[in-house]
Amino acid sequence: MVKQDLEETIERPKLSKSGEAAAELKVKSTHAKNHTSSEWTPSSWTTKPIKQDVVYDDRTTVRKALAKLECLPPIVTPTEIVKLRQNLRDVALGKAFLLQGGDCAELFDYCEENAVASKIKLLLQMSLVLIWGANKRVVRIARMGGQFAKPRSSPTEMHEGREIPSFRGDILNGYDVNERTPDPARLVMAYFHSAATVNFLRASISSGIADLHSPLDWGLGHVKDEKIKAQYTRTVDSISESLRFMRTVGADSAASALETVDLYTSHEGLLLEYEQSLTRRLRHPPSHPSFLPAPVPSDTQPNSHTEPANDGKGWYNTSAHFLWIGDRTRQPNGAHVEYFRGIENPIGIKVGPTTTSSELVTLLDIVNPTKAIGKVTLITRYGEHQIASLLPAHIAAVRASGHVVVWQCDPMHGNTTSTPSGVKTRQFSSILSEVSSALRIHRERESFLGGVHLELTGEAVTECVGGSEGLTEGDLGVNYTTYCDPRLNEKQALELAFLVAGHYRDEKGELGT
């Protein structure tokens, strides 16, 4: 059979009607007028105004990429997604702590064994410290396996006297100035890099990377500070002693939880054509809340979406377990909020200095009309100098609304500065200050900080200044590798974990034990 005959016998992926709507939008320079229907579909976002949009040049390549994505298998499953929702419900109720971290923006080149393994190990090390300090279960979510897009303050930048498109993440264009034109083929490349990352993550965990029976097998890598090493060693020794006791009395014979952990994936849901293509109507697992007795939502609930009755299915975004709406795209009448209100996944909303209390409650009512506990994580990013004046009012407004959310502190984005030479950095002391303020403010208002959201890497980078190593602006050039925002290195991230753990131990009068 000649090649042409073979190609004619292969059925090419056909783009769905929803995909057609997205493809049509993505090659236009204007958008549809605001549509007020309350009916939700995976493509109803195309009827809303959109921020941080991208427009491609070629209609054919957009349709081809979206058609391919629609026929590829899910990266994550409904069972995993619903399990994370249950875990975040515990966080919202104060029974667990949420640790979320990873790169500011992943590059396709980060899909490599050592890069992925170092971040997994760092998150596991940090969670061990937090469990020891808070005496709570830790829910782990990685900014990994899909964090390929980044919002930008400007779609263009000047380079050698000419205006070129800004780098917006590997899912859209390349960092090289000759690769700045948005390329729809990168959407499919992003899927395969995500799938490979998640596959290695699962394989590493199933192979025992998190086995607490041998915690000292977790190398400390680049952490050279003797004080941090001593603190970590005491933590591991304490856990090892407990495990030895369990083995002595035979209590660990069936304790598989000591040998593995759950590590979920997340990214900002920025490119809605990509997210829509991986949104599937799938059967709910038995653990889904719909299988449990619950009040029936009111038919008059604003912005609720309808589903076929009793079919036992829901719309799941299968690109990641958890997605969030960024500070630049959280407009209540916008495309991103419209998309997010219809998916089963737990979601986050970035909350910054420009977020009013009334807008915050409106957003919660739109994306979580049934007020499911822990469905929404509010990721606050005020900056160390503004958190004291903004967080208390937001806590009060959310409490009065009846929503029970996960409160998570992002101490990174509100504390970004630039050196006199224009290099972006963050002061470690500012990051610590915002986390400390969040802990204090929640405690004073009889609330509690449910988690932290960090940009970090397992490598010995020099991007944030300060910390016990004493990095200065003069050290930034030693190993400054980020293509976007500065990240905590392994040592700084562990320091932050000890700070939060110390807060909880201090509350219990156990500091120094």
Side-chain angles (χ1 to χ4, degrees):
M1 181 178 292
V2 298
K3 180 179 180 182
Q4 181 178 356
D5 293 336
L6 178 62
E7 289 178 344
E8 289 176 352
T9 65
I10 299 175
E11 184 177 352
R12 299 298 180 187
K14 294 181 179 179
L15 195 58
S16 67
K17 289 183 178 180
S18 292
E20 292 282 3
E24 181 69 14
L25 181 66
K26 287 295 154 180
V27 292
K28 290 182 177 180
S29 59
T30 58
H31 295 89
K33 293 183 179 180
N34 191 21
H35 183 58
T36 57
S37 172
S38 62
E39 182 179 356
W40 186 91
T41 68
S43 63
S44 57
W45 63 269
T46 62
T47 67
K48 302 287 185 177
I50 189 169
K51 299 288 186 181
Q52 296 289 319
D53 194 19
V54 59
V55 178
Y56 301 100
D57 293 334
D58 182 55
R59 183 190 311 270
T60 301
T61 55
V62 173
R63 296 182 75 258
K64 182 179 179 181
L66 298 186
K68 178 63 174 177
L69 287 173
E70 286 187 348
C71 71
L72 289 169
I75 296 176
V76 301
T77 68
T79 298
E80 295 169 335
I81 292 168
V82 170
K83 186 175 183 180
L84 176 58
R85 279 190 62 169
Q86 294 170 333
N87 288 337
L88 291 176
R89 187 181 192 277
D90 288 342
V91 175
L93 295 174
K95 299 177 182 179
F97 190 86
L98 171 60
L99 172 63
Q100 187 168 4
D103 287 297
C104 169
E106 287 180 280
L107 299 181
F108 291 161
D109 287 345
Y110 292 173
C111 184
E112 177 268 329
E113 178 181 357
N114 293 330
V116 176
S118 67
K119 285 188 279 284
I120 295 173
K121 291 172 70 175
L122 177 56
L123 289 171
L124 293 173
Q125 289 171 348
M126 294 175 70
S127 66
L128 177 64
V129 173
L130 291 168
I131 292 170
W132 170 77
N135 197 28
K136 289 183 179 181
R137 184 166 51 89
V138 171
V139 179
R140 307 162 189 85
I141 303 180
R143 287 174 58 116
M144 189 189 302
Q147 180 59 8
F148 296 120
K150 283 297 292 182
R152 303 306 298 264
S153 56
S154 173
T156 61
E157 63 185 27
M158 298 303 297
H159 177 75
E160 297 181 350
R162 65 188 181 99
E163 188 176 28
I164 62 173
S166 298
F167 174 60
R168 300 177 65 180
D170 269 357
I171 194 172
L172 283 175
N173 57 5
Y175 186 76
D176 188 286
V177 295
N178 298 313
E179 299 178 348
R180 293 297 178 89
T181 300
D183 181 3
R186 286 178 171 268
L187 296 170
V188 179
M189 293 173 65
Y191 169 91
F192 285 111
H193 283 86
S194 296
T197 299
V198 173
N199 178 67
F200 180 71
L201 186 155
R202 289 186 173 119
S204 297
I205 291 176
S206 66
S207 298
I209 193 173
D211 188 349
L212 288 184
H213 289 92
S214 53
L216 287 176
D217 289 344
W218 298 0
L220 289 179
H222 299 287
V223 178
K224 307 299 182 184
D225 185 275
E226 293 302 321
K227 182 178 179 182
I228 295 178
K229 275 189 176 180
Q231 286 178 304
Y232 181 81
T233 302
R234 285 198 300 270
T235 300
V236 173
D237 287 345
S238 177
I239 293 173
S240 298
E241 184 178 350
S242 298
L243 290 172
R244 283 194 296 271
F245 174 79
M246 293 178 66
R247 284 194 291 270
T248 300
V249 300
D252 74 333
S253 57
S256 59
L258 299 176
E259 301 170 356
T260 186
V261 297
D262 291 321
L263 180 58
Y264 301 98
T265 60
S266 68
H267 61 258
E268 179 177 354
L270 190 62
L271 266 66
L272 296 181
E273 65 271 26
Y274 178 83
E275 306 302 343
Q276 171 191 309
S277 300
L278 290 170
T279 302
R280 312 287 166 78
R281 189 159 185 83
L282 301 173
R283 187 165 299 281
H284 294 311
S287 55
H288 188 271
S290 64
F291 290 94
L292 304 174
V296 178
S298 169
D299 292 337
T300 60
Q301 177 67 49
N303 293 302
S304 60
H305 63 278
T306 58
E307 297 180 355
N310 301 320
D311 73 343
K313 296 181 179 180
W315 289 104
Y316 289 88
N317 182 308
T318 63
S319 70
H321 302 105
F322 179 99
L323 297 96
W324 71 86
I325 306 173
D327 194 48
R328 294 183 175 98
T329 55
R330 53 168 168 72
Q331 297 76 25
N333 66 336
H336 289 81
V337 172
E338 170 62 21
Y339 170 78
F340 271 72
R341 76 180 177 95
I343 59 176
E344 294 284 342
N345 305 59
I347 64 172
I349 301 174
K350 286 292 186 83
V351 179
T354 61
T355 312
T356 66
S357 294
S358 60
E359 180 188 34
L360 183 55
V361 173
T362 297
L363 284 169
L364 290 172
D365 288 341
I366 293 172
V367 300
N368 188 22
T370 61
K371 298 185 177 178
I373 298 174
K375 160 74 173 177
V376 179
T377 296
L378 295 180
I379 311 166
T380 60
R381 39 155 296 172
Y382 305 114
E384 66 167 328
H385 299 303
Q386 297 193 73
I387 183 172
S389 62
L390 296 171
L391 179 56
H394 286 160
I395 293 174
V398 172
R399 177 178 289 151
S401 74
H403 287 276
V404 181
V405 303
V406 174
W407 287 102
Q408 187 183 39
C409 177
D410 168 4
M412 311 294 292
H413 286 88
N415 295 302
T416 305
T417 60
S418 295
T419 67
S421 60
V423 179
K424 292 171 70 175
T425 188
R426 288 159 173 159
Q427 287 281 348
F428 185 67
S429 60
S430 298
I431 295 169
L432 290 180
S433 174
E434 184 160 356
V435 175
S436 298
S437 294
L439 289 164
R440 173 182 55 80
I441 292 168
H442 278 288
R443 182 177 66 249
E444 290 174 350
R445 279 148 186 83
E446 298 182 345
S447 176
F448 49 85
L449 181 64
V452 290
H453 187 118
L454 307 170
E455 291 184 341
L456 53 79
T457 177
E459 307 299 323
V461 299
T462 54
E463 297 169 2
C464 294
V465 297
S468 63
E469 191 178 11
L471 294 177
T472 67
E473 291 183 359
D475 297 315
L476 293 177
V478 174
N479 194 22
Y480 193 100
T481 64
T482 182
Y483 285 80
C484 197
D485 290 338
R487 304 158 294 176
L488 296 170
N489 62 30
E490 183 186 35
K491 182 183 301 184
Q492 294 165 330
L494 273 174
E495 270 192 84
L496 192 62
F498 279 115
L499 170 79
V500 177
H503 161 82
Y504 286 108
R505 288 227 144 193
D506 194 25
E507 279 190 338
K508 300 172 185 175
E510 298 175 2
L511 191 62
T513 60

